[in-house]
Amino acid sequence: MDKILTGNWKSMRPYASALDRLRNAGLRPTRQRLALAKLLFENGDRHITAEDLHSEARNAGVSVSLATVYNTLHQFTQTELLREVVVESGRAYFDTNTTQHSHFFFEKSGRLMDIPADAIEISQLPSAPDGAEISGIDVTVRIDA
Amino acid sequence: MDKILTGNWKSMRPYASALDRLRNAGLRPTRQRLALAKLLFENGDRHITAEDLHSEARNAGVSVSLATVYNTLHQFTQTELLREVVVESGRAYFDTNTTQHSHFFFEKSGRLMDIPADAIEISQLPSAPDGAEISGIDVTVRIDA
DNA sequence: TGGCGAGCTTAGAATCATTCTTAGCTTGAC
DNA sequence: GTCAAGCTAAGAATGATTCTAAGCTCGCCA
Ligand SMILES: [Mn+2]
Ligand SMILES: [Mn+2]
Ligand SMILES: [Zn+2]
Ligand SMILES: [Zn+2]
């Protein structure tokens, strides 16, 4: 049980309920976190900004402050419920797909789209200097549209 | 000669003088642009932020405003004297190496380091949806140090 | 069941990088 | 030399994000 409550549980079922996800992450299931988790995880794979999630929540009748949206997105990222994707300076996207995969980024619309992990292959990665840890590899294919 | 003055000249010599680079890009060689070009291009491959270039200029006794540093970096980027690299939301890096290559990003120090183009190989790129134009492929290897 | 402290939420201020505005300088073609 | 187009710069404005600090809420425990 201990492992479950400390978060970082890698083998989350894709259809785990919002409540289960919060429990597994060791986060209290508050009204705000539950509502945001539902919006994020019950609508398929998503790439969303804090502002967009905030307005989506309000449109859905959920009263939550922007500060809490930011707090929650960061907590979800830390507990690996989400992944942060950086493709444009000055804007952060949060991705509900936490597996290793790449993205198409449509520069005009600001839309992000997954590229399945097996549709791109990276060969002969250079080893990190000093034997430092590689914490991730981000591949973005920019589309001029 | 026309082609030279309209910028986008791909075959710039690596040791072209700052003045030549501005001429080739079709930019007036003002005192500020010359000074910034020298700082950027006479010190090997660099990855630098606007703020950092600004303080570097001032330390070197060059009087230039931050607004002009931003303007200049963007003009250099448009004329392909520089390439913009996004690895962290809220911070833009400008790269004096405009050839296709990847980066190590040291998350703690905020340092960027080139990975030679031939040290990484990407196979079977998926075609862009709709036959849209791919304007670039960014590969960032994040180092947790 | 009620109390309580840790944890959470929030409005609004603050921060930070970047962009904009606008007025005054430069540059270079003629 | 003159003059318009191009350029610079101080400071205000912007926009995303973070911080502050004050008041709620949650859930464990008596
Ligand atoms: Mn958005
Ligand atoms: Mn910096
Ligand atoms: Zn994704
Ligand atoms: Zn580089």
Side-chain angles (χ1 to χ4, degrees):
Chain A
M1 270 303 147
D2 213 316
K3 221 178 304 174
I4 291 178
L5 294 175
T6 51
N8 284 29
W9 199 34
K10 305 298 176 93
S11 50
M12 173 78 64
R13 287 156 293 146
Y15 298 113
S17 72
L19 184 58
D20 286 345
R21 285 177 196 267
L22 294 180
R23 285 209 183 103
N24 288 333
L27 296 170
R28 279 198 198 171
T30 65
R31 182 174 56 70
Q32 291 87 338
R33 293 211 274 232
L34 262 171
L36 295 175
K38 281 179 185 161
L39 290 174
L40 287 168
F41 302 118
E42 295 181 355
N43 290 288
D45 284 350
R46 310 200 62 182
H47 304 88
I48 196 169
T49 64
E51 294 274 4
D52 287 350
L53 180 58
H54 184 232
S55 18
E56 196 171 297
R58 315 217 99 183
N59 288 345
V62 176
S63 156
V64 58
S65 72
L66 182 55
T68 294
V69 172
Y70 274 104
N71 289 339
T72 301
L73 287 173
H74 288 140
Q75 290 152 359
F76 285 9
T77 299
Q78 272 179 247
T79 54
E80 291 176 59
L81 260 35
L82 291 177
R83 178 149 92 83
E84 190 174 346
V85 179
V86 178
V87 283
E88 226 178 15
S89 94
R91 198 192 237 166
Y93 289 82
F94 294 87
D95 191 341
T96 56
N97 180 350
T98 56
T99 67
Q100 157 64 44
H101 65 283
S102 315
H103 293 104
F104 283 123
F105 177 55
F106 299 89
E107 300 184 308
K108 301 227 168 86
S109 66
R111 205 71 75 214
L112 267 178
M113 174 189 281
D114 283 349
I115 301 176
D118 59 6
I120 282 194
E121 180 171 320
I122 299 182
S123 19
Q124 55 167 347
L125 240 221
S127 55
D130 287 333
E133 290 277 306
I134 291 180
S135 69
I137 300 175
D138 294 351
V139 178
T140 305
V141 179
R142 285 170 197 280
I143 306 292
D144 198 359
Chain B
M1 270 305 149
D2 212 315
K3 222 177 304 173
I4 291 177
L5 293 175
T6 53
N8 284 28
W9 198 34
K10 304 300 175 92
S11 50
M12 175 76 64
R13 288 157 291 147
Y15 298 113
S17 73
L19 184 58
D20 287 344
R21 286 176 194 265
L22 294 180
R23 285 209 182 103
N24 288 333
L27 296 170
R28 280 197 198 172
T30 64
R31 181 174 53 71
Q32 291 87 337
R33 293 212 273 234
L34 263 172
L36 294 176
K38 281 179 184 159
L39 290 174
L40 286 168
F41 302 116
E42 294 181 356
N43 289 288
D45 285 349
R46 310 200 62 182
H47 305 88
I48 196 170
T49 65
E51 293 276 3
D52 286 349
L53 180 57
H54 183 234
S55 17
E56 195 172 297
R58 314 218 101 185
N59 289 345
V62 176
S63 156
V64 59
S65 73
L66 182 56
T68 293
V69 172
Y70 273 105
N71 288 339
T72 301
L73 288 173
H74 287 140
Q75 289 152 359
F76 285 9
T77 299
Q78 271 179 248
T79 55
E80 291 175 60
L81 261 35
L82 290 177
R83 175 150 93 83
E84 190 174 346
V85 180
V86 178
V87 284
E88 225 178 17
S89 95
R91 198 192 237 167
Y93 289 82
F94 293 86
D95 191 341
T96 57
N97 180 350
T98 58
T99 67
Q100 157 62 45
H101 65 283
S102 316
H103 293 104
F104 283 123
F105 177 56
F106 299 89
E107 300 184 308
K108 301 225 166 87
S109 66
R111 206 70 76 212
L112 268 178
M113 173 188 279
D114 283 350
I115 301 176
D118 58 6
I120 281 195
E121 180 171 318
I122 298 181
S123 17
Q124 53 165 351
L125 240 221
S127 55
D130 286 334
E133 290 277 304
I134 290 181
S135 69
I137 301 176
D138 295 351
V139 179
T140 305
V141 179
R142 285 169 197 281
I143 306 291
D144 199 358

